[in-house]
Amino acid sequence: MKQVAPAFLSADIWQAAAQVQALEEAGCRYLHLDIMDGHFVPNISYGPDWVKQLRPHSKMIFDAHLMVEEPDFLLDSFAKAGADHLTVHVEAVRHLDRTLARIRELGMKPGVALNPATSLSLLEEALPLADLVLVMSVNPGFGGQKFIPYALQKVERLADIRRSCGLDFLIEVDGGVTADNAASVAAAGADLLVAGSAVFGKPDVAAAYAAVQQAANS
Ligand code: DX5
Ligand code: ZN
């Protein structure tokens, strides 16, 4: 079953607790947490302290996506904050093997993300080390952007590589996913579909989640 991971970045901070609870009650299993440092991406979001404060309020799988330079400095903090998945960008890490191994050692599932124009070939050796590969389908930094169509072919190629190498990492697609394109994103091979504005941007987040989740599994 394909899963939708609503991106907390698009939550209304005054309603965030109620929105997260409504999602959980609607059966949502993943919460996507976007961490931005104002350097790797031209925006700043929130850090491990927010994640730590959110942790006691939700049993969802916390899927943290670090869009930061030098993510190595933050790995321990996110482990302590209660992140379940921790994804770093291949463009921001110098020693990917070491970083992914450290994430695993800290008890989290290691993920690796690629910007839209970054080649899958950069991951060839690292794929067996990752539990999750995140394909960006917008240039990271902001919610509410339009899905970049060529990301679909990239997801298809990644799914082919996974099949031919006999690997089982999750394929996550992040950026511009809506109820209108979720079926094609899922058909291309995504297991986990991040949806920010398509869920948290709607007045009824539970209904919006259900619509994307249904489209992804149609
Ligand atoms: C973009 C973030 C995404 C974003 C998704 O930089 O990584 O997770 O919040 O939001 P939407 O679904 O609105 O593109
Ligand atoms: Zn993200």
Side-chain angles (χ1 to χ4, degrees):
M1 173 124 161
K2 311 286 183 176
Q3 298 293 339
V4 171
F8 187 68
L9 185 70
S10 297
D12 172 345
I13 58 166
W14 305 112
Q15 317 241 9
Q19 289 184 326
V20 168
Q21 198 184 340
L23 286 172
E24 201 154 1
E25 282 165 10
C28 182
R29 292 179 46 207
Y30 290 85
L31 188 65
H32 185 78
L33 300 163
D34 287 304
I35 316 302
M36 302 177 177
D37 67 348
H39 290 274
F40 183 72
V41 289
N43 196 8
I44 296 176
S45 59
Y46 51 86
D49 290 346
W50 276 42
V51 176
K52 195 175 178 179
Q53 288 194 44
L54 196 56
R55 185 69 279 185
H57 299 288
S58 173
K59 290 193 168 55
M60 282 192 270
I61 295 167
F62 278 11
D63 175 44
H65 174 197
L66 299 188
M67 285 160 279
V68 304
E69 297 286 1
E70 311 231 36
D72 291 331
F73 292 124
L74 293 170
L75 307 182
D76 290 62
S77 314
F78 276 95
K80 287 194 191 112
D84 297 294
H85 296 169
L86 196 61
T87 296
V88 295
H89 266 263
V90 64
E91 303 88 353
V93 173
R94 200 160 288 155
H95 304 289
L96 189 58
D97 179 295
R98 179 184 291 150
T99 301
L100 296 176
R102 179 69 184 146
I103 294 172
R104 195 179 294 286
E105 196 176 282
L106 287 165
M108 299 175 287
K109 289 189 187 297
V112 57
L114 304 102
N115 283 334
T118 300
S119 169
L120 286 175
S121 62
L122 285 185
L123 289 191
E124 202 180 328
E125 316 299 337
L127 288 176
L129 311 173
D131 286 353
L132 177 160
V133 176
L134 184 157
V135 176
M136 287 301 312
S137 41
V138 298
N139 289 295
F142 304 94
Q145 302 182 79
K146 246 178 111 54
F147 188 91
I148 295 175
Y150 70 76
L152 272 189
Q153 285 86 57
K154 201 171 174 183
V155 174
E156 283 167 4
R157 276 186 288 126
L158 182 59
D160 282 346
I161 295 170
R162 177 172 65 177
R163 210 170 302 121
S164 62
C165 297
L167 295 168
D168 62 358
F169 54 83
L170 288 175
I171 298 179
E172 181 170 23
V173 174
D174 185 5
V177 173
T178 65
D180 293 334
N181 62 17
S184 49
V185 174
D191 308 294
L192 200 50
L193 291 78
V194 176
S197 44
V199 173
F200 278 107
K202 305 283 181 191
D204 183 344
V205 293
Y209 156 76
V212 187
Q213 177 76 19
Q214 194 182 22
N217 288 287
S218 60

